[in-house]
Amino acid sequence: MSQFEKSLLENLMVSDFANEGDLIQLITEEDDSQQVSDNLKEEIPILSVRNTVLFPGVVIPITVGRQRSIKLVKKAQKGDKLIGVCAQINPNTDDPSWEDIYQVGTVAKIVKMIVLPDGNTTIIIQGKKRFQVTEQVTEDPYFIAKVKYLEENFPKSSKRIQALEESLKDAAVRILHLNPEIPREAQVALDNIDNTPFLTHFLSSNINAPVESKQRLLEINDGVERATLLLEYMMKDIQMLELKSEIQKKVHTDIDQQQRDYFLRQQMKVLQTELGEEGPEKEVEDLRMRGEKKNWPTEVKKHFEKELDKILRINPSAAEYPIALNYAETMVELPWNEFTQDNFDLKHARKVLDADHFGLDKVKERIIEYLAVLKLKNDLKGPILCLYGPPGVGKTSLGKSVAKALGRKYIRMSLGGLHDEAEIRGHRKTYVGAMPGKVIQNMKKVKTSNPVFVLDEIDKLSSDFRGDPSSAFLEVLDPEQNFAFMDNFLEVEYDLSKVLFIATANSLDTIQPALRDRMEIIEVTGYTQEEKVEIAKRHLVPKQRKEHGLKTSQIRFDKAALVKIIEDYTRESGVRNLERAIGKVVRNIAKSIAMEEEYEPKINAEAVRKILGSEIFDKETYQDNTIAGVVTGLAWTSVGGEILFIESSLSRGKGKLTLSGQLGDVMKESAMTALSYLKSRAEELGIDHRVFEHYDLHVHVPAGAVPKDGPSAGITMLTAMASVYTQRKVKTKLAMTGEISLIGKVMPVGGIKEKILAAKRAGIKEIILCKKNKRDIDEIDENYLKGLEFHFVDRVSEVLDIALLKSKVDRPLQFSFPDEKKG
C-alpha cells in the first residue's frame, strides 16, 4: 500500500461507513451468522490476496491492483457485496492460478470501496464466515468456486474454555506492554471482546507470525485446538519480546554514545544478515581476506591490520568512515612486492627498439647496457634516464618501446603545467577528498612494482603557493631514497627502487639543478633528411594509411615526394610536422576514393605540390655576399637548430651602437665585446680608427618578433662588424657559432648536432667552430657530417682570416671624416 493510500485510510471517518448502512464494530460470531446466513451462496467469486489472511469478524483494508481483481470487486460492489478471500501461497506470483492460492478462506463483505488517483482501488472488507473450496468453477474473468461453509466448533463455556480465554487475553496484554509499537487503542478493543471464537480470530489476525502460520490457524476447525496453537504462537512472540527487552535494559545501563552506536550496529548486522545484505563488517572482512593474499612488508601488514580494527570502531555514518575505508582499499590494491618478469633476451630487445624507432643509437645502447647488467646481477636499482631533445623526435614513444623490449608494464604521467606538490605526494587524510599522489595512483593502476614509468615534459613543471612539485620529485627520482618513498596519504613507505623512470624534456635550463643531478641525461638529437625519409617510409606513411582506412595498393609515396615534403613544407628537428603533412596528402587521396574520383595512387613531388600548395620554406638561404656586414650564424632553440643572420650597417653619427631584433642581455653583451675587440685591433684589421667616432653602428638580427639570447653568436657578430668596417666580402655558404672573449679567444658552445643539421638544411658547406667543440663532432655519426667542411679555431683572428675575403664588396662605402681636406 502506498503512503498516499495509508494516509487516506487513516483519515476516513467511521461515519463514512455508517452511510453505507454497516457500521464497523466488533461483532460476535452468533450475530455474524445470524446476519449473513440468508445471503450466502454456493458459488462465490474468489479474491486472492498477498501477505494477508482474513479472519471472520475482522475489518481490514486491501488494495486491489490486478485487472481480474478490479473486475471482481466492481461486480460484487454492484451486487450483494460478498466475496471470498483466499491468501496467496507465493506472494511474488503476479498472475496466480488455482494451485497458487489456499483452498480455505473467509467470506467477506465490502464495506467501502475507494478509487485512488493512481488507478488502484482500495476496499474495506469485513470477514464473515470461513469456507472451503469444493469445486473450481472458472478462472475467467475472475476466480469463481463452489464452496462449503465451515461452522465454528467451539465447546460450550467451561472452566477449561475460560482458562484458555483468560490465557489468550493475558498473553495479548503482555504483548501490548512489551511492544510499544502497538497503539494503546488495541487494549480497549481487547477489553470489549467477550466472545471466545471471535477472540481467537481477532488475535490470530494481529499476531506477529508468517502467512503460513495464520493460514494454519484459519484452517483448524476445532476451536480448542486453534486457541491452543494460537497461544503457542503468542508465547513464542512474548519470549522474543522479553529477550529483546532484557537486552535493551542491559545496554541502557550507563550507556554512552559509543556503546549505543555499537548496539545499533549489532542490530543492523543481524537485520542485514537476515536480509542477505552486506554490512560494514562484511566489507572489512573482505579487505582482511584480500590482505592475507598480499606479500606485505612486515611493518605495512601490521599497519594495515591496525587500520582495519580502527574501521570496525568507527560509526559507518561518521564522516571518517568512508575515508578510512578508502585508505584501506588503496593499501590493498597497491602492488606490494608484485613484479613482472623481465625479458633478458638482448637480441629481442635490440630488435624491438630498432623496429619502433629509427636512429637514437645512444638511447638504445643505454637500454641494452641496463638489460645486460640486470641479467648478470639480477638485482639493479632502476636508473633514472632523462631523454632531452627537441619536440617530435620520439622521446615519449621511446618509453613505450623500452617497456615492450623489457616485457614490463608501461605507465605515462604528464607533468606539463603541474604546480601542486600534493599531486606528487598526495594529501593528508585529514583533508576532505584526500587521495594519494599521482605516483602512487599510477602504481595502483598498473598493478606491478617494476613498470617503465615515463615522466613526460619534466621541464614544464611550475610552482606556486601550493608548493614546488620539482622538489617533491627529488625523493621520487633518487635511487638512494625512493626505496622508501613516503606518500602523505599512504603514511607508510613504498618501494619505487625497481621502477625504471624515464623523464623527457625539451630544455634542461628550466629543470631544478638538484633534480637534474639525479638523472642521467641522454641527448636525443634531431634527424637528418635521410633519416626522416626512412622514418616516413617505415613508420609515418603506414601509420597514416592505416588511420585513414587505405590499403597499400591505394597510395604509394616515392622518395622524391617525401624529400619535397621534408625540404619545402617542414623545418624541424623531429618528424611531427612531417607526419601532419603526410596525413594531409593521405586524406586528399581518401577523399578521392570516397567520392569515386580518378586519382594517381603513386605520389610524386608534383602531386605533393598540387595537394599541399606552394612551398612554405625556401631551400636556399641568403647567400648574397655583395653587401658588407651580413653573416650567417647557427643557433639552438628548444625545437632544434636554426640558422641566424646577423646584419650590420654604418651611418654618419657619433659612434653610437644600436642593437635590434629582441636581443637578450647576453647577446647584447656579446655585441659590445665584439665592438671593443675591433676597436683594440683596428690597425691590424686595416680599419681607420676615426670611423668608430664618426659613424654609428647598427646590428640587427632578423625575425624581430622572436626573442633571442645566448653567447653563441659572438663570432658571428664580430665577423659582421669586421665586414662592414672593412667593406670586405664574407665567404659564401659559410656559417659559424662560438662565444668570444674580450681578448679575442673563441670559446665552445652547445647544441652542435642540432646546429649542424640546421646548416645542412640551409645548404651551408663550411662551418667555423671552436677547437674544443671538435669532441662534439667526433661523437656525431658520419652520416650527419657528409658534405660539410669544418674549421676549428682558437682565436678570433683565425675566424676573420677564414670568413673575410680579400676583395671588397661591389659597392663599398666611402668613408669621409670632418677634418679631411677636400681637393
Side-chain angles (χ1 to χ4, degrees):
M1 186 184 299
S2 67
Q3 188 62 36
F4 175 81
E5 294 167 337
K6 291 180 181 178
S7 178
L8 184 61
L9 287 173
E10 288 172 357
N11 289 291
L12 286 173
M13 303 298 293
V14 173
S15 58
D16 292 334
F17 301 118
N19 294 335
E20 298 293 325
D22 277 312
L23 182 64
I24 296 179
Q25 55 185 332
L26 297 177
I27 60 174
T28 64
E29 284 289 321
E30 291 80 9
D31 294 335
D32 180 71
S33 301
Q34 185 67 32
Q35 290 180 13
V36 301
S37 58
D38 296 333
N39 296 329
L40 295 178
K41 299 177 182 178
E42 185 181 1
E43 283 189 7
I44 60 172
I46 304 297
L47 175 68
S48 62
V49 294
R50 310 184 207 215
N51 302 317
T52 303
V53 177
L54 177 65
F55 287 83
V58 178
V59 178
I60 59 171
I62 294 177
T63 298
V64 182
R66 302 172 184 149
Q67 291 301 317
R68 177 193 294 178
S69 301
I70 292 173
K71 290 178 182 179
L72 183 154
V73 168
K74 289 183 177 180
K75 184 73 180 289
Q77 177 70 10
K78 293 178 182 177
D80 57 7
K81 300 185 179 181
L82 292 177
I83 60 174
V85 178
C86 291
Q88 197 169 303
I89 297 173
N90 184 1
N92 296 322
T93 304
D94 292 325
D95 188 16
S97 61
W98 283 110
E99 290 76 20
D100 297 318
I101 63 176
Y102 290 104
Q103 301 300 297
V104 175
T106 303
V107 174
K109 184 174 183 180
I110 300 175
V111 179
K112 183 80 174 180
M113 185 170 74
I114 306 155
V115 179
L116 300 173
D118 61 0
N120 288 331
T121 300
T122 295
I123 57 174
I124 311 296
I125 58 175
Q126 186 175 34
K128 297 298 183 180
K129 198 174 187 67
R130 296 183 305 121
F131 67 84
Q132 182 172 5
V133 175
T134 58
E135 182 180 346
Q136 300 162 356
V137 178
T138 183
E139 288 186 18
D140 190 28
Y142 42 77
F143 292 127
I144 298 177
K146 288 184 179 181
V147 298
K148 178 180 75 174
Y149 295 97
L150 305 175
E151 297 296 333
E152 293 297 332
N153 184 10
F154 220 92
K156 297 287 185 178
S157 179
S158 65
K159 289 184 178 181
R160 184 181 178 188
I161 296 302
Q162 288 178 358
L164 195 56
E165 182 177 348
E166 290 300 323
S167 297
L168 289 172
K169 285 191 176 183
D170 290 343
V173 171
R174 182 66 179 152
I175 291 173
L176 286 173
H177 286 299
L178 289 172
N179 193 348
E181 296 178 1
I182 300 176
R184 296 298 97 189
E185 291 79 7
Q187 178 72 55
V188 178
L190 193 62
D191 292 337
N192 288 327
I193 298 175
D194 56 1
N195 181 274
T196 306
F198 179 67
L199 178 64
T200 63
H201 293 321
F202 178 78
L203 294 178
S204 297
S205 179
N206 289 283
I207 62 169
N208 184 21
V211 172
E212 295 84 1
S213 300
K214 291 185 178 183
Q215 181 66 28
R216 184 180 173 190
L217 291 171
L218 183 68
E219 293 176 357
I220 296 175
N221 288 322
D222 185 82
V224 176
E225 183 184 350
R226 183 196 309 147
T228 305
L229 182 60
L230 171 63
L231 184 60
E232 182 182 334
Y233 288 157
M234 294 177 72
M235 294 308 294
K236 287 182 181 179
D237 197 14
I238 289 172
Q239 288 177 358
M240 286 294 295
L241 290 171
E242 285 178 341
L243 181 61
K244 183 178 178 181
S245 177
E246 183 180 350
I247 294 173
Q248 289 174 340
K249 286 179 181 178
K250 288 181 180 178
V251 175
H252 188 69
T253 305
D254 298 327
I255 195 169
D256 58 17
Q257 185 64 34
Q258 185 175 356
Q259 291 172 316
R260 175 178 175 273
D261 292 345
Y262 175 78
F263 175 70
L264 291 174
R265 286 199 300 274
Q266 291 301 109
Q267 287 186 320
M268 287 173 59
K269 182 178 179 181
V270 173
L271 292 173
Q272 287 168 339
T273 302
E274 290 294 325
L275 294 171
E277 298 178 357
E278 293 186 359
E281 290 79 7
K282 177 66 173 173
E283 291 179 324
V284 174
E285 287 306 313
D286 288 345
L287 287 172
R288 200 182 299 275
M289 290 176 63
R290 290 168 62 188
E292 290 175 356
K293 301 175 183 177
K294 304 292 286 186
N295 186 16
W296 303 98
T298 305
E299 292 299 323
V300 176
K301 184 176 182 179
K302 290 180 181 178
H303 181 79
F304 178 71
E305 293 291 340
K306 184 179 177 181
E307 287 297 321
L308 292 185
D309 294 339
K310 188 190 296 182
I311 292 173
L312 291 174
R313 297 193 297 270
I314 301 176
N315 185 349
S317 61
E320 297 86 1
Y321 184 82
I323 296 174
L325 194 64
N326 179 42
Y327 175 73
E329 288 176 348
T330 300
M331 285 196 69
V332 82
E333 288 174 4
L334 278 171
W336 301 90
N337 294 325
E338 297 175 19
F339 306 101
T340 54
Q341 187 67 38
D342 285 328
N343 185 354
F344 294 125
D345 188 345
L346 303 186
K347 293 181 179 178
H348 167 76
R350 170 66 77 175
K351 185 177 179 181
V352 170
L353 293 173
D354 288 339
D356 290 350
H357 292 81
F358 187 83
L360 307 179
D361 295 327
K362 191 183 293 186
V363 188
K364 294 175 183 176
E365 194 62 35
R366 181 64 185 88
I367 299 302
I368 297 300
E369 290 173 0
Y370 170 72
L371 265 179
V373 177
L374 187 61
K375 181 178 181 180
L376 296 175
K377 193 180 178 185
N378 202 25
D379 180 23
L380 181 69
K381 291 181 179 178
I384 287 84
L385 307 178
C386 179
L387 306 181
Y388 146 70
V393 294
K395 300 185 299 296
T396 304
S397 62
L398 191 64
K400 187 175 289 187
S401 297
V402 171
K404 185 178 175 183
L406 292 171
R408 291 190 179 189
K409 296 288 186 69
Y410 168 80
I411 197 74
R412 174 183 166 272
M413 177 179 172
S414 178
L415 303 178
L418 197 70
H419 50 70
D420 189 354
E421 182 186 346
E423 294 285 340
I424 310 302
R425 288 189 175 276
H427 309 79
R428 300 202 178 277
K429 290 189 294 182
T430 52
Y431 292 103
V432 176
M435 63 177 66
K438 280 189 169 16
V439 175
I440 294 297
Q441 285 182 42
N442 282 313
M443 296 302 292
K444 183 175 74 171
K445 180 180 177 182
V446 82
K447 300 187 185 304
T448 177
S449 291
N450 64 335
V452 173
F453 202 129
V454 174
L455 300 170
D456 213 6
E457 309 290 357
I458 199 169
D459 58 323
K460 308 297 191 301
L461 284 171
S462 58
S463 60
D464 60 9
F465 64 92
R466 283 165 286 199
D468 183 6
S470 61
S471 298
F473 266 115
L474 294 178
E475 182 184 5
V476 177
L477 299 182
D478 191 343
E480 300 301 322
Q481 298 181 43
N482 63 10
F483 67 90
F485 173 67
M486 183 71 76
D487 186 274
N488 289 333
F489 180 84
L490 204 58
E491 293 182 345
V492 290
E493 295 177 350
Y494 190 85
D495 186 4
L496 296 175
S497 63
K498 301 298 188 294
V499 179
L500 174 55
F501 286 103
I502 298 179
T504 70
N506 298 132
S507 173
L508 299 178
D509 298 337
T510 56
I511 301 177
Q512 189 183 119
L515 182 59
R516 178 178 172 179
D517 184 61
R518 283 162 165 77
M519 298 185 293
E520 181 179 342
I521 307 297
I522 299 177
E523 187 175 4
V524 183
T525 52
Y527 299 110
T528 62
Q529 177 179 300
E530 292 76 12
E531 287 177 325
K532 288 183 179 181
V533 170
E534 287 299 317
I535 291 171
K537 283 182 180 179
R538 298 185 187 186
H539 302 287
L540 304 185
V541 172
K543 179 183 175 184
Q544 290 298 318
R545 191 166 53 219
K546 182 178 178 182
E547 286 184 357
H548 293 87
L550 300 184
K551 299 177 182 178
T552 308
S553 60
Q554 292 176 316
I555 183 171
R556 298 187 307 277
F557 284 81
D558 63 15
K559 184 176 179 180
L562 295 175
V563 169
K564 184 167 183 63
I565 295 175
I566 293 166
E567 290 184 347
D568 297 340
Y569 296 94
T570 63
R571 184 161 289 176
E572 56 179 345
S573 295
V575 292
R576 197 166 282 155
N577 289 325
L578 174 59
E579 184 176 3
R580 293 192 186 104
I582 292 172
K584 187 174 182 181
V585 175
V586 174
R587 283 194 298 276
N588 186 274
I589 299 301
K591 182 200 72 173
S592 299
I593 295 173
M595 298 179 68
E596 298 182 354
E597 299 175 347
E598 290 187 6
Y599 75 99
E600 176 57 46
K602 186 176 181 180
I603 304 298
N604 53 27
E606 184 180 346
V608 167
R609 191 181 191 284
K610 183 178 179 182
I611 295 171
L612 298 182
S614 300
E615 293 81 355
I616 299 175
F617 300 103
D618 295 328
K619 180 180 177 182
E620 298 295 330
T621 61
Y622 182 84
Q623 296 180 11
D624 187 2
N625 65 346
T626 59
I627 300 175
V630 180
V631 182
T632 305
L634 299 174
W636 182 93
T637 68
S638 61
V639 295
E642 287 186 359
I643 60 170
L644 192 71
F645 299 107
I646 306 293
E647 300 176 350
S648 301
S649 67
L650 292 172
S651 60
R652 285 185 176 275
K654 298 181 180 180
K656 180 182 176 184
L657 173 63
T658 302
L659 301 173
S660 61
Q662 281 218 54
L663 307 185
D665 292 337
V666 177
M667 211 164 182
K668 290 177 181 178
E669 290 169 0
S670 295
M672 290 186 284
T673 302
L675 182 58
S676 298
Y677 176 81
L678 285 178
K679 288 180 178 179
S680 65
R681 298 290 189 273
E683 290 185 12
E684 296 177 17
L685 297 172
I687 303 173
D688 190 330
H689 65 87
R690 291 177 296 174
V691 74
F692 297 113
E693 298 176 2
H694 299 288
Y695 282 83
D696 291 341
L697 174 63
H698 187 168
V699 179
H700 175 68
V701 184
V706 181
K708 309 167 194 72
D709 202 4
S712 62
I715 62 172
T716 314
M717 285 186 166
L718 178 71
T719 305
M721 292 179 186
S723 173
V724 75
Y725 278 124
T726 62
Q727 294 295 297
R728 289 163 63 182
K729 290 183 177 181
V730 178
K731 198 172 186 179
T732 59
K733 296 186 179 181
L734 173 74
M736 59 189 71
T737 181
E739 184 179 355
I740 61 169
S741 69
L742 191 59
I743 59 175
K745 191 172 180 63
V746 179
M747 293 179 287
V749 292
I752 297 299
K753 183 179 177 182
E754 297 298 327
K755 292 175 179 178
I756 289 173
L757 292 177
K760 287 196 73 173
R761 288 197 298 267
I764 300 295
K765 299 298 182 184
E766 297 180 57
I767 297 177
I768 299 176
L769 297 172
C770 173
K771 278 185 179 179
K772 292 183 179 180
N773 280 127
K774 190 175 187 305
R775 59 174 179 255
D776 298 301
I777 298 298
D778 293 339
E779 292 182 2
I780 298 175
D781 193 300
E782 292 182 1
N783 293 326
Y784 293 87
L785 308 178
K786 286 181 181 178
L788 292 176
E789 181 183 351
F790 293 95
H791 302 280
F792 298 104
V793 298
D794 188 49
R795 306 288 303 178
V796 169
S797 56
E798 298 175 58
V799 176
L800 298 179
D801 289 342
I802 298 169
L804 296 181
L805 302 177
K806 299 295 182 182
S807 58
K808 298 277 187 180
V809 293
D810 296 341
R811 297 174 62 188
L813 180 66
Q814 301 296 324
F815 296 108
S816 61
F817 305 104
D819 58 347
E820 185 177 342
K821 295 180 180 179
K822 297 181 181 180

